[in-house]
């Protein structure tokens, strides 16, 4: 089918004067994509940068994992937005796992790796501190959030009879039984200390299940989750879409809950960049942000979701049938347990509700949870660490350049969770003190 690939951002009228309307080819052949990039470069308005200077470089190497929340990077590439803002040579490169993403960030593009990535929100901190890199810190910055919501906790068919849902307590006795037999339940996540690790730990602990004692937590790359469940090597997992939806469509298991049922409108992935790359190329970093932010605006409306899914489901990107990815992007969630929700509030958000803004209060929650589970030492000065890594100031500069507003402050305030607990970013210690199950280092 022929698709209209003109950018129709909800904030289009706010873009700088002279930007003009640009019809960009989105998902055609390589020659068509090259033509789109060339057209975008030629059409780039001279006034995009207030000082009249363009980016210091023409591109960057950005990694992504095959998850729907990488869509802003793919759309920015396919629709010529990187080229529009003076970065026609940006590469968006598939990574095999979050571990591979980390390793390639450590290498940097100069060493055959990457400069930045679609990344789990805690990872820039775990890399910057050296926790995830063998004790060798590699300073990073968080430039933007890429999305809110859009992850799921899934259960295999072997445990379907327990009817485990948002409340995981129905599985507690079964997990104890499996442990007593010497075959503890295998609970998979994607990276130690990452978002999926924290979501599934929170879900288990709220039901009185200690994720460090009562089950075996294992690391599995996102694209391998469904295959491993089918092979019977894991009992539950937490991962981003489209893998929760694919599990249901293949009738291998069901969705116990979406992660936004744990914490509504929770932050998820981020645009993380090596700090040295940003420091050397501040205008290029700003251009990257501008392109990604415009892509996020385009991805947000429901009327763009089918085209978005057609593009990102392609072989070179997520490589799944569109039927596995589209329904949940349209807020239609079949949990696979008889529960079906239409127009669900638990839909992935790319721009609405300040989805793009990297709230420092959210990063503080991630770090506090990583302290809770022993990923970071209890002595970590989390507030100071957030101040070094989170670059909400750069986000605001880019937002101003393209004429879109941002939130008044760097905190979203109190955050409420499904079990009644409330995180106050002013007092993270109170949050830790309130947790009955934890394993502080």
């Amino acid at each position: 089918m022929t698709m209209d690939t003109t950018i129709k951002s909800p904030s289009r009228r706010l873009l700088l004067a002279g930007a003009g309307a640009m019809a960009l080819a989105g998902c055609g052949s390589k020659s068509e994509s090259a033509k789109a990039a060339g057209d975008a470069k030629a059409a780039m308005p001279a006034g995009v940068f207030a000082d009249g200077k363009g980016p210091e470089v023409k591109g960057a190497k950005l990694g992504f994992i095959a998850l729907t929340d990488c869509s802003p990077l793919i759309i920015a590439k396919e629709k010529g937005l990187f080229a529009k803002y003076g970065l026609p040579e940006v590469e968006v490169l598939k990574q095999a796992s979050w571990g591979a993403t980390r390793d390639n960030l450590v290498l940097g593009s100069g060493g055959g790796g990457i400069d930045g990535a679609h990344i789990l929100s805690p990872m820039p901190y775990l890399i910057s501190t050296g926790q995830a890199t063998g004790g060798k810190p590699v300073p990073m910055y968080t430039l933007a959030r890429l999305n809110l919501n859009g992850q799921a906790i899934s259960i295999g068919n072997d445990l379907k009879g327990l009817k485990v849902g948002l409340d995981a307590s129905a599985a507690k006795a079964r997990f104890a039984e499996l442990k007593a037999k010497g075959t503890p339940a295998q609970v998979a996540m994607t990276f130690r200390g990452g978002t999926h690790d924290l979501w599934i730990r929170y879900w288990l602990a709220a039901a009185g299940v200690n994720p460090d004692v009562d089950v075996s937590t294992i690391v599995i790359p996102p694209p391998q989750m469904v295959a491993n469940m089918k092979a019977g090597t894991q009992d539950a997992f937490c991962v981003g879409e489209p893998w929760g939806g694919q599990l249901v469509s293949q009738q291998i298991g069901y969705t116990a809950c979406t992660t936004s049922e744990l914490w509504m409108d929770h932050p998820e992935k981020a645009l993380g960049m090596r700090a040295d790359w940003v420091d050397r190329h501040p205008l290029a970093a700003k251009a990257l942000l501008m392109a990604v932010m415009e892509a996020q605006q385009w991805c947000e409306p429901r009327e763009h979701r089918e085209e978005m899914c057609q593009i990102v489901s392609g072989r070179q990107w997520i490589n799944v049938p569109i039927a596995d990815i589209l329904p949940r992007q349209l807020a239609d969630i079949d949990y696979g347990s008889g529960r079906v929700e239409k127009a669900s509030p638990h839909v992935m958000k790319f721009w609405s509700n300040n989805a793009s803004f990297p709230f420092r209060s959210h990063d503080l929650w991630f770090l506090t949870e990583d302290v809770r589970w022993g990923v970071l030492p209890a002595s970590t000065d989390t507030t100071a660490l957030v101040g070094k890594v989170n670059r909400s100031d750069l986000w605001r500069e880019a937002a101003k350049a393209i004429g879109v507003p941002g939130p008044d402050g760097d905190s979203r305030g109190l955050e409420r969770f499904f079990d009644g607990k409330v995180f106050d970013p002013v007092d993270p210690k109170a949050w830790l003190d309130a947790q009955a199950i934890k394993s502080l280092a």
Side-chain angles (χ1 to χ4, degrees), residues 222-243:
Q224 296 178 24
M225 288 287 190
V226 175
N228 279 25
M229 188 75 89
K230 187 175 184 179
T233 58
Q234 59 195 43
D235 300 288
F237 65 70
C238 182
V239 73
E241 295 300 342
W243 308 114

Side-chain angles (χ1 to χ4, degrees), residues 25-38 77-78 316-317:
C27 56
S29 65
K30 289 184 178 179
S31 61
E32 289 172 331
S33 296
K35 181 179 183 299
K77 178 64 177 177
E78 289 279 8
Q316 75 274 35
W317 302 123

Side-chain angles (χ1 to χ4, degrees), residues 210-388:
N210 190 325
D212 288 324
V213 176
D214 300 327
V215 298
S216 176
T217 54
I218 56 177
V219 175
I220 301 291
Q224 296 178 24
M225 288 287 190
V226 175
N228 279 25
M229 188 75 89
K230 187 175 184 179
T233 58
Q234 59 195 43
D235 300 288
F237 65 70
C238 182
V239 73
E241 295 300 342
W243 308 114
Q246 186 180 85
L247 183 84
V248 170
S249 68
Q250 294 187 10
Q251 300 182 339
I252 300 168
Y254 73 99
T255 296
C257 64
T258 65
T259 50
S260 49
E261 290 175 77
L262 303 177
W263 176 12
M264 187 59 182
D265 284 347
H266 69 76
E268 183 50 43
K269 302 303 187 299
L271 173 60
M273 299 293 296
R274 284 179 58 112
D276 57 2
W277 190 92
V278 175
D279 292 342
R280 285 198 308 269
H281 313 114
L283 295 178
K286 182 177 177 180
L288 274 178
L289 269 170
M290 293 158 76
V292 170
M293 290 161 70
E294 187 171 338
Q296 288 181 275
Q297 292 175 74
W298 185 89
C299 289
E300 180 66 24
R302 179 184 173 90
E303 59 266 27
H304 289 172
R305 293 295 175 102
E306 182 173 357
E307 182 186 347
M308 183 194 84
C309 292
Q310 287 174 332
I311 293 171
V312 305
S313 65
R315 183 175 181 181
Q316 75 274 35
W317 302 123
I318 300 178
N319 193 24
V320 296
I322 193 170
D324 287 347
I325 187 174
L326 181 58
R328 294 191 180 197
Q329 287 303 302
L330 295 177
D332 297 334
I333 303 177
D334 180 352
Y335 285 72
S337 59
R339 177 186 176 190
V340 178
E341 286 192 4
K342 299 290 185 180
S344 171
H346 300 289
V347 68
M348 188 177 293
K349 297 176 182 177
F350 296 101
W351 187 257
S352 63
N353 294 66
N354 289 313
S356 177
F357 186 76
F359 284 103
R360 295 189 174 201
S361 59
H362 289 162
D363 285 349
L364 190 59
W365 183 86
F366 287 127
L367 294 181
T368 302
E369 281 291 287
D370 274 335
V371 168
R372 173 187 181 185
W373 296 114
V375 179
L376 292 172
S379 59
T380 303
D381 186 339
T382 54
T383 300
L385 184 55
V386 169
K388 291 179 180 178

